Amino acid sequence: MGCSEKSTFPGCVKDAAGRVIHGGPVYLVFLSFFIVLFLAGVVSGVYSLFIEGSRHAYGTYREIPLALLIATYIFFVVASTGLCLVSSIGHVFGNRDFLPIAKRSVLLALITIISGFLVIGLEIENPFRMMLYLFTSANLSSNIWWMGTLYMLYMIFMAVEFVLLMRESHRIAAFFGFLSVLAGVSAHSNLGGIFAMLSGRDVWYGPFLPVYFILSAMMTGSAFIILFSIVAQKLRGQGMNEDEQKSLALVSKLAMLMIAAVAFLTIWKMITMTTGGETRLITLHETISGSHAFSFWVLEVACGLIIPFFLLLLAGGRRLGLMTVAAALMIFSIFFMRLDLVVMAQIVPLYWDMGVKEFSQLHTYAPKWKEILVAFGGIGFCGMAFLLGEKIFNGFSENREAEAVESTEPESE
Amino acid sequence: MMIFKTLHTENMLGKSEKISEIDRREFLKIGLAITGVFAGGSILSVASAAEKVFPRGSIVQKYPYRPHYAMVIRVDQCIGCRQCEKGCIAANAVPDYGWRTKVLEKEVPEAIGQKREFIPVLCNQCNNPPCVRSCPVTATYKDKNHGIVMMDIKKCIGCKICMVACPYNARYFNEEKGAIDKCDFCLGTRLSRGEKNVACSVYCPADVRVFGDLSNPQDRVYKLIHQLQKPVWVLKKETDARPNIFYMKG
């Protein structure tokens, strides 16, 4: 826990609490802000689900039952899977240049998956029943069942992996890291599968989404690592060491590659949507020149893909300011990519092709503020846990030396 | 742009205002595509259509359930009085924010004679139900005896994936039940109490909705479907849900 081996556990806790309390005014302001966001989100979600009822509190309805909160959940689990995958390049698959980012990435992966679970817990109507029936009444043909179960395993593996990494047991940590990767990729592709296997939904149906989700996860994970590593460095108030800088430069190259891959997939998704029926064509029309054109062109394409790509190119892995802006833009825009991915496939009514009066208008969706608060609650938890983690584990600084020593040991490990 | 030409030329984005002749022809094709599914107990030339509705390998006399509940909607007989909706609401305590069945209205101003058509819709009690496959906790299931897609409301976690999975928009979240609600062919409120017909059919003054047992050759539903003279079709056959709600005219 960022304290020496001779320290007792209460001593470590005391030290960690001291570091949090003496984190400085800016740190404490941000920490308080995120705590307030987190609490507000939880209160809003609990009130919406159990008192007011989601029909009144949330902007979802019969025709668009999945929206902002599902998108937020996807955003977080995509980030978590990405963080797990990118960090595994170093400590699971042996590329030592990625090692310096491993611990923070694993912790962030854990934080983001918990943020995702928090949001989904405040989205589904009966979260307590889920805890019971997911185990006692499993449906093995359901992608949600597989996703939920695998993500729980993933979270457990990640937690064990993190503890082992902190105890410098790198070999066993690598094994659990490998299990995390397996569970994460399986869970995440099942998340894509939830949508990809709905034969009644033209826009989602097909093998595209599971593949897209994995590549998109790597892109998101890279952005998270860049942004949070740089913020962590600011928190420490020290310059970034050479190894860390080298790692970050590699992650930024990976981010560029993944941006290119996601752009490529997006282009082909758009092109293929010109065929295959009216629903797909109308969705494409709304995306690129209709009501969602701003979200698509400005947020998804410009802020999410093109600008970050060139900023990262310009930064060359060294100019941290540019990299920060690029990563922040990516994270912000990826959120809207998720929202569009979820909502756009539901805007064309299912009975549209029959030309009936009742379903002659495209469905629209606008989130309500209680729903937005729940999404912010997830962001609040993520920010809060990150800030606390950095101080509790002392910016992962005391372990770097050991890591460097271990990394020079023979490959036989 | 070129790719959106069809949307604009055929006015697909403003369908409700004016239905083009092309649209009308497209709609009619739905019926023609699966016309004449059965003839005298054997599967006809459009065998693939029958295969799409019933599990592969099944023959006409051998339906998966006994009774195999199904409904034939004689769509041209519907006068749009919506008594079926009222009957359903009364029988099943459907709240005002939800529906289990609905009568959709289509206007065809260019048509000669009758210019309006009513199309009742409800849960299609599919043989290959996407909602059942997607539910993570088997809260919705296909009953092994009569094939009705049921809800076990105490298990429903309210994830709403079944609502998205259903190609027929047949599900909604019922606040009072704290679970997804849907048509169960009045099993809970009528059939289990010895009634032979569902509420929407009972309330219909025009004999539009014919409910019955598809596995019984003496049943009216069986007879209506197993004939060649009139086209019989299902909605959204391309989803491979294999519905048990059939549409026909006459």
Side-chain angles (χ1 to χ4, degrees):
Chain A
M1 208 187 260
C3 55
S4 73
E5 282 177 22
K6 287 171 189 168
S7 308
T8 57
F9 181 72
C12 286
V13 173
K14 201 177 167 188
D15 286 352
R19 284 194 294 274
V20 171
I21 292 163
H22 299 106
V26 178
Y27 173 83
L28 289 174
V29 165
F30 272 100
L31 182 63
S32 310
F33 171 71
F34 284 126
I35 290 173
V36 169
L37 266 192
F38 164 57
L39 292 176
V42 171
V43 170
S44 173
V46 170
Y47 177 80
S48 302
L49 278 188
F50 301 110
I51 298 171
E52 190 180 3
S54 66
R55 187 169 70 85
H56 308 281
Y58 295 165
T60 49
Y61 55 103
R62 181 178 186 136
E63 278 74 23
I64 302 198
L66 308 182
L68 176 71
L69 297 184
I70 292 293
T72 311
Y73 166 74
I74 295 174
F75 170 78
F76 279 123
V77 299
V78 164
S80 179
T81 313
L83 284 158
C84 167
L85 288 176
V86 176
S87 70
S88 73
I89 297 173
H91 72 104
V92 177
F93 298 110
N95 188 328
R96 287 174 181 166
D97 291 332
F98 280 80
L99 273 178
I101 52 141
K103 287 175 186 164
R104 179 171 294 112
S105 305
V106 173
L107 179 63
L108 275 173
L110 261 176
I111 291 171
T112 44
I113 190 82
I114 296 169
S115 305
F117 280 150
L118 172 77
V119 174
I120 198 80
L122 296 171
E123 198 274 342
I124 63 170
E125 300 282 348
N126 303 306
F128 299 113
R129 282 185 199 167
M130 182 184 72
M131 297 311 293
L132 174 65
Y133 291 113
L134 206 59
F135 300 105
T136 59
S137 184
N139 179 7
L140 298 184
S141 69
S142 160
N143 298 100
I144 290 192
W145 186 87
W146 281 103
M147 178 202 66
T149 310
L150 287 165
Y151 264 136
M152 276 184 211
L153 281 177
Y154 164 84
M155 198 167 71
I156 294 166
F157 293 147
M158 290 291 282
V160 174
E161 182 190 356
F162 181 68
V163 171
L164 290 169
L165 276 177
M166 292 308 291
R167 295 166 67 97
E168 305 299 336
S169 305
H170 285 260
R171 262 182 299 180
I172 316 174
F175 173 69
F176 276 93
F178 181 65
L179 291 181
S180 304
V181 170
L182 277 185
V185 169
S186 313
H188 199 55
S189 45
N190 259 292
L191 175 62
I194 292 171
F195 303 103
M197 289 184 71
L198 299 180
S199 57
R201 299 284 178 172
D202 294 348
V203 177
W204 286 330
Y205 186 60
F208 174 82
L209 282 178
V211 179
Y212 173 82
F213 269 32
I214 294 292
L215 290 174
S216 183
M218 296 278 279
M219 174 184 158
T220 316
S222 306
F224 264 73
I225 289 172
I226 294 169
L227 181 70
F228 283 83
S229 297
I230 296 172
V231 172
Q233 175 232 331
K234 297 278 178 208
L235 281 177
R236 286 200 307 268
Q238 301 163 356
M240 203 173 272
N241 70 32
E242 206 176 306
D243 287 344
E244 239 179 327
Q245 191 129 16
K246 198 174 167 191
S247 268
L248 227 50
L250 281 173
V251 173
S252 96
K253 276 186 186 165
L254 182 67
M256 287 167 67
L257 180 67
M258 288 303 129
I259 290 174
V262 168
F264 180 75
L265 285 178
T266 307
I267 290 167
W268 270 106
K269 175 75 180 166
M270 295 291 145
I271 294 173
T272 54
M273 277 172 77
T274 59
T275 60
E278 215 178 303
T279 298
R280 286 159 62 88
L281 199 55
I282 291 169
T283 307
L284 177 65
H285 180 270
E286 287 302 298
T287 304
I288 67 175
S289 54
S291 56
H292 289 67
F294 176 82
S295 178
F296 178 71
W297 290 114
V298 178
L299 297 177
E300 281 196 41
V301 177
C303 298
L305 300 171
I306 297 173
I307 297 173
F309 183 88
F310 285 106
L311 285 178
L312 290 173
L313 190 68
L314 212 61
R318 289 180 305 276
R319 295 164 73 179
L320 296 184
L322 283 183
M323 286 163 71
T324 310
V325 175
L329 266 181
M330 279 165 78
I331 292 170
F332 176 74
S333 308
I334 285 166
F335 184 84
F336 291 93
M337 284 185 197
R338 305 291 164 255
L339 187 61
D340 287 346
L341 185 142
V342 171
V343 173
M344 289 307 284
Q346 301 171 79
I347 61 166
V348 180
L350 289 166
Y351 290 114
W352 177 270
D353 55 353
M354 283 165 51
V356 292
K357 270 183 171 179
E358 289 79 0
F359 296 107
S360 58
Q361 301 294 319
L362 297 180
H363 299 310
T364 56
Y365 165 75
K368 290 189 178 168
W369 68 269
K370 286 178 193 136
E371 203 175 3
I372 295 171
L373 264 186
V374 176
F376 276 127
I379 295 166
F381 177 82
C382 187
M384 176 190 81
F386 166 72
L387 289 178
L388 287 174
E390 282 300 319
K391 290 294 175 191
I392 290 170
F393 301 110
N394 207 9
F396 305 99
S397 55
E398 287 174 19
N399 301 313
R400 270 184 213 141
E401 209 169 299
E403 219 169 71
V405 169
E406 187 155 325
S407 68
T408 58
E409 284 174 11
E411 193 60 39
S412 59
E413 271 217 352
Chain B
M1 279 197 296
M2 276 293 286
I3 52 172
F4 297 127
K5 204 177 164 190
T6 50
L7 290 180
H8 297 300
T9 53
E10 294 175 19
N11 194 22
M12 285 174 181
L13 288 165
K15 252 191 178 149
S16 61
E17 293 151 27
K18 195 179 177 187
I19 304 298
S20 70
E21 191 54 32
I22 294 168
D23 281 0
R24 181 173 158 71
R25 284 203 297 272
E26 284 299 316
F27 179 72
L28 292 174
K29 266 191 229 162
I30 297 170
L32 294 173
I34 43 173
T35 296
V37 173
F38 300 107
S42 62
I43 295 167
L44 259 193
S45 57
V46 202
S48 59
E51 286 286 312
K52 278 185 164 59
V53 178
F54 299 104
R56 285 180 211 295
S58 69
I59 55 167
V60 173
Q61 287 82 1
K62 204 174 172 184
Y63 290 102
Y65 308 100
R66 275 180 200 278
H68 187 116
Y69 287 126
M71 183 180 279
V72 176
I73 294 178
R74 300 161 69 224
V75 72
D76 61 328
Q77 304 294 308
C78 184
I79 55 173
C81 68
R82 295 186 165 83
Q83 286 300 314
C84 52
E85 292 179 3
K86 291 172 190 156
C88 174
I89 290 166
N92 299 296
V94 180
D96 57 2
Y97 56 83
W99 53 267
R100 285 184 173 204
T101 186
K102 198 174 185 70
V103 177
L104 305 178
E105 189 177 337
K106 177 177 171 150
E107 276 187 30
V108 189
E110 301 94 334
I112 298 163
Q114 182 187 325
K115 296 184 189 304
R116 191 177 293 169
E117 190 172 39
F118 298 100
I119 308 162
V121 292
L122 66 161
C123 169
N124 277 240
Q125 315 294 351
C126 308
N127 285 337
N128 184 25
C131 53
V132 169
R133 188 200 62 76
S134 59
C135 175
V137 293
T138 61
T140 190
Y141 60 96
K142 184 94 175 145
D143 189 279
K144 288 186 175 67
N145 298 316
H146 43 63
I148 297 175
V149 176
M150 302 290 294
M151 275 301 301
D152 184 348
I153 59 170
K154 71 172 190 306
K155 281 187 187 172
C156 179
I157 63 172
C159 67
K160 298 174 184 169
I161 193 66
C162 58
M163 289 170 66
V164 185
C166 175
Y168 303 100
N169 190 16
R171 294 168 164 265
Y172 70 99
F173 185 76
N174 185 311
E175 271 183 343
E176 291 74 27
K177 291 181 177 176
I180 300 295
D181 189 37
K182 66 174 287 295
C183 166
D184 63 351
F185 270 161
C186 291
L187 186 82
T189 52
R190 295 180 61 88
L191 300 187
S192 63
R193 295 175 186 174
E195 301 280 353
K196 298 289 181 201
N197 203 355
V198 293
C200 55
S201 174
V202 170
Y203 276 72
C204 178
D207 194 24
V208 173
R209 297 175 184 238
V210 183
F211 172 77
D213 176 8
L214 200 48
S215 67
N216 177 5
Q218 304 307 315
D219 197 285
R220 193 170 162 219
V221 162
Y222 183 98
K223 288 174 182 168
L224 282 172
I225 290 173
H226 297 80
Q227 47 82 33
L228 253 189
Q229 296 88 332
K230 290 170 185 168
V232 177
W233 68 93
V234 294
L235 300 181
K236 294 185 176 284
K237 72 180 173 71
E238 71 281 4
T239 64
D240 197 32
R242 302 175 197 171
N244 280 303
I245 305 294
F246 300 87
Y247 290 80
M248 66 182 294
K249 296 194 174 186

